[in-house]
Amino acid sequence: MDQEQEAIVFNKSKYLLVVAGAGSGKTLTILGKIYDLLKYQNIRSEEILCISFTKKAATSLKEKIQKEFSINMPVYTFHKLSLEILKENQQYFEIAEPELLEHITMEFFRETILQDSKQIFIFFTYFHYRVKKEIKEEYLCFYQEHRKEIHLLEKLIITFLHLFKCNHHTLEDFSIFSKKIKRTFSYRTYQKEKSFLILALNIYLIYQKYLKENQEIDFDDMILKATSILKETGHIKKYRYVIIDEYQDTSLIRFQLVKTILEKTDANLMVVGDDFQSIYRFTGCELSLFLNFKHYFPTAKVMKIQNTYRNSQELIQIAGDFVMKNKKQIPKKLHSHKSLKNPIQIVYYDQILDVFEKLVVDVYEKTQKPILILGRNNQDIYSVCNQNFQIDQNGKICYLKNINIKLSYLTVHKSKGLEEENVILIHLKNELLGFPNQISDEKILRLVSIQSESYPYSEERRLFYVALTRTKNKVYLLVPKKNPSIFVKEIKKKKDVIEIHM
């Protein structure tokens, strides 16, 4: 370990926030802390509670602990931990499908809304659309012609309701929201946002009714119930140390669960994360819980890991300057011993299909190493592959026919925590569903957020940072000559960024 990592491992603070840059070895630091606790602090493995954000990340960390220390120590997600707390306290529930809210929201706009003309009128008010004929007939025509706009509304409602539940709002808050937007917005905007709230409320009521009638709870309810049980008379293992990875992705209800565990056990706490890589707001995550850690734990120590072992100094300088345009990020002085000339290359195209194939072949012939293709959306890969490519049924692996080039495709969200020798980033267009995604949702989401961000495309900016920092070597930005992404226009002015026209 380097000096910064060692200092964290040996730090004895009751509450410790570790701010770790991309590729800085945070997993190694966590393993070092666990080793110190086991060998030198006389803490048994069953007295350490280790939590990560996703099932995949938790499994990976568990396997590394097993490999390094030959200890079968559990690593939990918040949902798995909540489920175990409920079982230990003889509380058993059926768990709803993770996509239930999405299904109910889509079903609402496909069919449910047709049963109530008032809801259709509210829907049209949201879109500032005047009905010219029979209202149900008009809605069916509008639905067919404006599928993209309705899909964006669905996504916005789903994000709103995720934040609503994760930040522990109640049904009564809808009337508070309505009064707040009436005071805040102009009449025209107020009518639009009020319509949104009514639509969201109706979907929320249908969703909650389904859960009740089917005696199910969702993941958020599971965390809330586990916290409630612990606060009352619940049993919890006697933990002495709590370690949380990817803490930038926590939510208020996850935080409240952790706080309750700490109050019950008096355990020490170390959280590790990178505010530059906070990209899951749409699932209810609240970056302010990371940024304001000392507000919640006034005696906390904040330490940083700033050596990166993945990216070149040239790349992290460009990526770091880019993400720090967001005013509320924690400043870091990231540095690397690797140096690489022109690590970011902007490749312009007229015809995407021909240029993409040419770029893939060119990069592979120069490096003879695997290539990771990243897109903003799940379907982006299909827009760049011509008939010479073959894509698997999951849209994850593609390869050129008769040429042995290893390619893999992921959305940028799914690539977090991963790395590859070279990266090609696609779909860098200046459009609504381009990169950045330009859905105007900040104002309404502020109602259900703990702390809002005012800088334009703040989360998309962090997502772009994640995309840039997945590469060990170079990242190629595939950009249309007409209507390029505003992010590309910004970074092309930087030193060590070159432009290529193919």
Side-chain angles (χ1 to χ4, degrees), residues 386-407:
N386 61 24
Q387 69 277 6
N388 295 326
F389 285 88
Q390 189 164 332
I391 305 174
D392 74 355
Q393 59 183 358
N394 297 315
K396 292 182 179 180
I397 306 296
C398 61
Y399 54 91
L400 274 166
K401 298 174 183 177
N402 305 318
I403 304 177
N404 186 25
I405 300 179
K406 183 180 178 183
L407 302 172

Side-chain angles (χ1 to χ4, degrees), residues 101-102 105 152-167 196 280-285 439 441 444-445 448-449 459:
L101 178 57
E102 285 79 356
T105 303
L152 296 178
L153 174 59
E154 290 171 349
K155 290 180 68 174
L156 184 55
I157 288 175
I158 291 165
T159 299
F160 181 91
L161 293 179
H162 275 309
L163 283 165
F164 180 89
K165 296 200 73 170
C166 283
N167 288 330
F196 175 89
Y280 287 107
R281 186 186 187 192
F282 64 93
T283 66
C285 299
I439 302 173
D441 57 15
I444 198 69
L445 291 185
V448 285
S449 300
E459 178 137 333

